[in-house]
Amino acid sequence: MAGDLPGQGEGACPRYPAGEKKPIVWAGLPPTNEELVNGDFTQLNSIFTSAAEDRRVRYVDIWDIFLAEDGSYSSYGPDVDGKNARLRDSDRIDFTWAGYRKVAFFSSSAN
C-alpha cells in the first residue's frame, strides 16, 4: 500500500487508482554537505529508482543538478534562468524558492 516505507515490497512506490491516467513524478533526494547524510540519501535514491522502474512513475534524479562544477556541495548554483542563486536553505537540506523552482523545472522536463 502507498505510505509503506521504501523498499518494502509492493508498497515501495505509490499505486495508481484503477483507470487513472495522470503521471506521478518522483524527485529524488539532493546532495548535502554531510557525508553520512549523503550516504543515506544515495542509498534511498537507489531504492526509489528501483521502486519507480516497476510502476508508471517517472523518477527524476536531481543529485547532479545541485552539485558545484567540481562535484562538491554548494548552496549556490544556476537557477532556472541560468543566474547564480542561492538554491539551498541555511540547513543545507531544504531548498530556497529558487531551488524548488529548479526541482520543478527538471521534474516537468524529464522524459
Side-chain angles (χ1 to χ4, degrees):
M1 295 196 120
D4 290 349
L5 292 175
Q8 292 187 345
E10 290 295 313
C13 192
R15 294 176 184 257
Y16 280 92
E20 191 65 48
K21 299 292 184 195
K22 296 179 182 176
I24 293 178
V25 178
W26 189 341
L29 297 169
T32 71
N33 70 329
E34 299 289 333
E35 272 189 55
L36 291 175
V37 175
N38 282 346
D40 291 343
F41 280 13
T42 300
Q43 186 175 11
L44 287 169
N45 281 338
S46 178
I47 292 168
F48 300 158
T49 301
S50 296
E53 287 174 354
D54 297 335
R55 314 275 176 153
R56 292 184 301 159
V57 175
R58 188 173 66 213
Y59 176 79
V60 180
D61 185 351
I62 62 169
W63 191 272
D64 290 341
I65 66 170
F66 285 100
L67 292 176
E69 287 183 19
D70 65 358
S72 65
Y73 171 85
S74 177
S75 293
Y76 294 84
D79 65 9
V80 295
D81 298 318
K83 297 176 185 170
N84 194 42
R86 185 175 183 132
L87 302 173
R88 303 298 283 279
D89 207 351
S90 59
D91 66 6
R92 299 180 177 162
I93 293 177
D94 290 319
F95 296 108
T96 62
W97 183 247
Y100 282 118
R101 286 187 65 219
K102 189 168 184 172
V103 172
F105 175 82
F106 278 91
S107 296
S108 67
S109 64
N111 290 327

